[in-house]
Amino acid sequence: MRIGVIGTGRIGTIHANTLSRHRDVGSLILTDADPARAQDLAHRLGETAAPGVEEIFRWGVDAVVITTATSAHAELIGRAARSGLPVFCEKPIALDLPGTLSAIAEVETAGTVLQMGFQRRFDTGYAGAREAVRAGRLGRLHTVRALTSDQAPPPAAWLPVSGGLYRDTLIHDFDVLRWVTGREVTDVYATGSDAGPAMFREAGDVDTGAALLTLDDGTLATVTGARMNGAGYDVRMELAGERDQIVVGLDDRTPIASTEPTGPPAADKPWAGFLERFGPAYEAELNAFVEVVRGERANPCDGREALQALRVAEACEVSRRERRPVRLAEIPGGSATTFA
């Protein structure tokens, strides 16, 4: 199997490393907007670098992995679909609903595969929570609390093109909330604070956000996010039911300290970022993609799944901007989704 990797930045490098050592991947063709960066990575991995995207498609590959800037995702997905190639793409498909719907339509018209990079679906903790909920261990689920807090903010230049806190960061929480619970979000009320560095205000973004979500069975969920959590990278999900309560992301590296005399001690080495925290999950999702390409398993996260997470993020942005509750029915793109 020969795979083209378009984009060799931070996450592209990680994916290329995973694929280069995969027993079922014979070779890679790497390209990047910075040709020297792609050439350097190709040299280190013993793979081939291409001058540009054109060569990826002209030289011939069996599948494509897209890890470029978000602005290029939809166009590249469409091109791969028209070429009959299966695609793995980092989230999101696009920063807006029209671009997302257009790319999904191209994939569905071509009858090809689009697997989206929501790596938390491959994390052991989240998978365990999903199993517990589906097995009924918690009883009736009544409350979910999810959070994602970055230790350090992204570069200022990234903020204007990131899509904002809800689309860029909390979209992972929205996706995994649906995946773990098997329920859809029906209503949201969101707010945010830009009281931190001026770069957030200048980008029209917030550095801290919170959303109250109602699921279609009445379960209430809160999702919070922060760009400047000095203690470390903190990602958790608490699920409370009438029988039991569980938590994802609580271990000896969780950056939180108890004020109770008998509470657990503060982490000696708290998580510093998402690449470290979700390293095994990133590898697992690429292994799954290879299996999908080989016809050995069903697509674990298609474009329609990514669309529903984006719709929740869009609803949160509308709610924050207009200071009102928003029903998901107001957001285009809704459709019935089944959870395997």
Side-chain angles (χ1 to χ4, degrees):
M1 184 187 302
R2 192 183 202 189
I3 296 180
V5 179
I6 306 176
T8 56
R10 184 169 55 172
I11 192 66
T13 295
I14 288 175
H15 288 339
N17 271 277
T18 296
L19 293 169
S20 184
R21 63 177 183 267
H22 197 290
R23 68 178 183 275
D24 293 322
V25 178
S27 63
L28 303 178
I29 303 177
L30 313 176
T31 193
D32 191 88
D34 179 355
R37 183 163 67 177
Q39 184 66 54
D40 177 66
L41 179 60
H43 177 74
R44 285 187 279 124
L45 296 179
E47 304 289 357
T48 301
V53 173
E54 293 292 331
E55 287 76 13
I56 291 284
F57 292 96
R58 192 166 68 242
W59 293 356
V61 293
D62 299 301
V64 173
V65 170
I66 300 171
T67 58
T68 62
T70 299
S71 58
H73 287 184
E75 179 183 353
L76 291 170
I77 289 169
R79 180 161 188 180
R82 294 189 297 274
S83 299
L85 295 173
V87 174
F88 176 92
C89 184
E90 278 300 323
K91 64 84 191 168
I93 294 173
L95 289 178
D96 60 6
L97 287 167
T100 299
L101 290 166
S102 177
I104 291 173
E106 290 222 58
V107 170
E108 293 178 348
T109 297
T112 53
V113 169
L114 169 61
Q115 181 182 328
M116 294 303 300
F118 283 104
Q119 86 284 352
R120 294 188 194 182
R121 292 180 177 223
F122 297 87
D123 177 73
T124 303
Y126 283 106
R130 185 177 193 265
E131 181 181 354
V133 170
R134 303 305 177 85
R137 277 178 41 205
L138 308 186
R140 183 185 69 86
L141 188 66
H142 56 75
T143 308
V144 182
R145 308 175 190 94
L147 66 90
T148 296
S149 297
D150 294 324
Q151 183 177 33
W158 167 247
L159 293 176
V161 299
S162 70
L165 181 67
Y166 293 104
R167 298 188 193 95
D168 177 46
T169 299
L170 295 184
I171 193 168
H172 281 288
D173 295 272
F174 302 146
D175 175 72
V176 84
L177 172 65
R178 296 178 61 251
W179 186 73
V180 166
T181 65
R183 314 305 308 190
E184 295 292 350
V185 177
T186 60
D187 302 84
V188 310
Y189 184 79
T191 187
S193 170
D194 62 2
M199 65 181 185
F200 292 100
R201 293 186 292 279
E202 293 166 356
D205 197 5
V206 293
D207 59 80
T208 308
L212 173 63
L213 285 60
T214 303
L215 306 189
D216 58 12
D217 64 348
T219 300
L220 297 181
T222 58
V223 178
T224 62
R227 294 288 201 182
M228 303 180 68
N229 192 59
Y233 180 68
D234 193 7
V235 172
R236 280 175 283 143
M237 173 182 274
E238 299 173 5
L239 300 107
E242 292 181 343
R243 293 181 185 170
D244 203 356
Q245 180 171 238
I246 57 176
V247 59
V248 178
L250 183 61
D251 59 20
D252 60 1
R253 298 191 65 182
T254 304
I256 191 168
S258 173
T259 61
E260 300 297 334
T262 58
D268 290 331
K269 187 182 179 183
W271 297 109
F274 62 92
L275 295 178
E276 182 185 30
R277 165 64 177 85
F278 290 110
Y282 280 117
E283 182 167 350
E285 69 178 358
L286 263 294
N287 291 338
F289 179 61
V290 172
E291 293 175 356
V292 170
V293 175
R294 288 171 56 86
E296 297 172 352
R297 67 174 294 173
N299 188 348
C301 186
D302 64 18
R304 290 282 169 183
E305 294 281 276
L307 169 63
Q308 299 312 317
L310 178 61
R311 291 180 66 240
V312 178
E314 288 286 329
C316 287
E317 280 293 348
V318 173
S319 178
R320 179 182 73 87
R321 185 172 62 249
E322 300 182 6
R323 295 178 176 271
R324 67 176 179 90
V326 174
R327 292 191 59 79
L328 261 290
E330 299 178 43
I331 309 299
S335 62
T337 302
T338 58
F339 295 87

